[in-house]
Amino acid sequence: MLLSLSGALSLGVVAQSESTLKYKALPTFDLVLPGEQWTDGTGGIAIAHRGGDHFATEVVGMTLRVDTDGDGKFDTTAKGLSGYAVLNGKRADGTALSYAVRLRVSPAGNACQYAASGGMVGSVDGVAVQVIDQNNNGVYNEVGVDAIVVGSGRAASFLSKVINLKGKLVELEVDAAGTTAKAKPYTGQSGTLSLRRGVKLAGDLQAAVVSDKANGYSFEVAGAPDGLRVPVGSYVFSGGYATKGGDTAKLRAGKMKPLVVEDGTTASMQWGTPLVAEFNFTRHGEMATVQPQVMFVGRGGEEWHTILPDAKSPKLMFFDKDNDKLIASKRFEGC
């Protein structure tokens, strides 16, 4: 009886793996993040360590000075508009702390701003992962806030409760310090998101990130030409990036309708170009006032924004309603 009971219980045990992640500084930061943030470092770089709650910074003219070991003395100087530094110390529990930052002078020219320039790296079930502290607070387990790269690519999704490891879904749990990643097989219902084949762009799609409504699940789909298995749910774009030569554009949901992934089904859509420029205007008699805020919407309702260099606005053409004669034409200065 005991033997048969033990055998029955063993069938229900879900195998869990535990991986060790180690910090890796990235002097040349080339990861594509879904929600990159730059943090005000006027009062210092807010990474807690045994000696305090931050590492001191100072801006002198166009020079950035940083206390990288937390002893209160500036020991690293970055001249110019940007720089790089590695902070070293110990956590409250005595374990070693290392944290690399990109540095820049704020647009106003009077403060330091910083962003993470490294992450916790390792492998989960044999697949490479990188966890990035996307909001620059020294904590690595904030689902839907921090970022993760799964595999050997450069494009990250938001940190997700479930990740896709070469077609296999696993539940992921990362500790706050980012040193341990626990994984176990995902046993819930799942379907497929097929978005890579439905996009039409003049340039190159570097990243396309989808997330569910609760921001618990997030996946990078640009690198999945044949579709990607995901948990059931409703997904919209939550980040993305495209390039063409020196031009860049970012991606978000905009007016996109959620893609509903049901068990065993495939969800897809057509998106990308041509883009439609949408803007507001008011009319008072024969006078029209046009607002310069332009929204660029793709075929799937997705919004392309932060277009650099400045996106060329639509050309506004005004005609006489009686004889169709062109009265005036104008473009906004930049969008």
Side-chain angles (χ1 to χ4, degrees), residues 23-33 35-40 45-47 83-87 98-104 113-120 130-140 145-147:
Y23 189 77
K24 181 179 181 180
L26 300 172
T28 302
F29 192 87
D30 64 350
L31 300 181
V32 181
L33 302 181
E36 184 178 58
Q37 298 182 34
W38 284 84
T39 301
D40 182 10
I45 299 173
I47 303 298
Y84 168 83
V86 180
L87 313 177
S98 185
Y99 195 96
V101 290
R102 290 165 285 157
L103 300 163
R104 71 182 186 187
Q113 293 181 328
Y114 64 93
S117 193
M120 306 302 295
Q130 299 182 69
V131 182
I132 302 95
D133 172 29
Q134 192 169 229
N135 62 341
N136 315 315
N137 65 353
V139 178
Y140 290 88
V145 176
D146 291 324

Side-chain angles (χ1 to χ4, degrees), residues 5-324:
L5 178 59
S6 176
L9 287 174
S10 67
L11 294 176
V13 173
V14 177
Q16 177 170 286
S17 64
E18 184 171 311
S19 305
T20 299
L21 306 181
K22 295 184 178 180
Y23 189 77
K24 181 179 181 180
L26 300 172
T28 302
F29 192 87
D30 64 350
L31 300 181
V32 181
L33 302 181
E36 184 178 58
Q37 298 182 34
W38 284 84
T39 301
D40 182 10
T42 303
I45 299 173
I47 303 298
H49 56 99
R50 178 176 280 184
D53 59 2
H54 70 280
F55 291 82
T57 62
E58 183 180 57
V59 177
V60 180
M62 296 302 291
T63 298
L64 300 171
R65 303 174 67 195
V66 183
D67 167 23
T68 60
D69 57 12
D71 66 355
K73 300 177 182 179
F74 297 113
D75 46 52
T76 295
T77 299
K79 295 182 179 180
L81 296 175
S82 62
Y84 168 83
V86 180
L87 313 177
N88 290 293
K90 291 185 180 297
R91 297 187 179 89
D93 62 3
T95 57
L97 168 68
S98 185
Y99 195 96
V101 290
R102 290 165 285 157
L103 300 163
R104 71 182 186 187
V105 174
S106 66
N110 59 354
C112 167
Q113 293 181 328
Y114 64 93
S117 193
M120 306 302 295
V121 304
S123 64
V124 176
D125 292 352
V127 179
V129 297
Q130 299 182 69
V131 182
I132 302 95
D133 172 29
Q134 192 169 229
N135 62 341
N136 315 315
N137 65 353
V139 178
Y140 290 88
N141 65 346
E142 296 172 294
V143 172
V145 176
D146 291 324
I148 183 170
V149 177
V150 179
S152 58
R154 296 171 45 240
S157 69
F158 288 97
L159 184 62
S160 178
K161 293 179 179 179
V162 173
I163 59 176
N164 185 304
L165 301 179
K166 296 183 178 180
K168 179 179 66 175
L169 294 180
V170 301
E171 296 181 16
L172 181 71
E173 181 181 345
V174 180
D175 70 333
T179 57
T180 302
K182 296 179 180 180
K184 63 181 180 181
Y186 172 75
T187 58
Q189 295 180 330
S190 65
T192 300
L193 269 175
S194 181
L195 290 171
R196 189 64 178 86
R197 294 187 184 279
V199 65
K200 182 179 180 181
L201 291 174
D204 298 318
L205 183 66
Q206 303 294 336
V209 177
V210 294
S211 300
D212 73 328
K213 291 182 179 180
N215 290 322
Y217 301 140
S218 183
F219 298 90
E220 201 288 308
V221 298
D226 297 322
L228 193 71
R229 184 183 170 204
V230 299
V232 298
S234 296
Y235 292 86
V236 295
F237 286 120
S238 57
Y241 187 69
T243 61
K244 182 182 180 182
D247 298 339
T248 63
K250 294 183 179 181
L251 173 66
R252 60 190 173 204
K255 296 184 175 182
M256 173 187 176
K257 294 181 179 179
L259 281 172
V260 179
V261 177
E262 298 178 332
D263 189 37
T265 67
T266 297
S268 63
M269 73 176 191
Q270 301 296 308
W271 57 290
T273 57
L275 305 184
V276 175
E278 297 185 358
F279 51 90
N280 294 323
F281 71 93
T282 57
R283 181 173 178 176
H284 301 282
E286 296 184 355
M287 179 175 291
T289 301
V290 182
Q291 300 299 322
Q293 291 80 23
V294 179
M295 179 178 179
F296 294 91
V297 180
R299 289 186 297 164
E302 81 283 359
E303 180 186 0
W304 295 90
H305 66 101
T306 316
I307 301 174
L308 299 172
D310 283 345
K312 182 179 290 187
S313 82
K315 186 176 183 180
L316 306 178
M317 304 177 72
F318 301 89
F319 295 86
D320 187 303
K321 68 177 182 179
D322 295 325
N323 56 24
D324 290 332

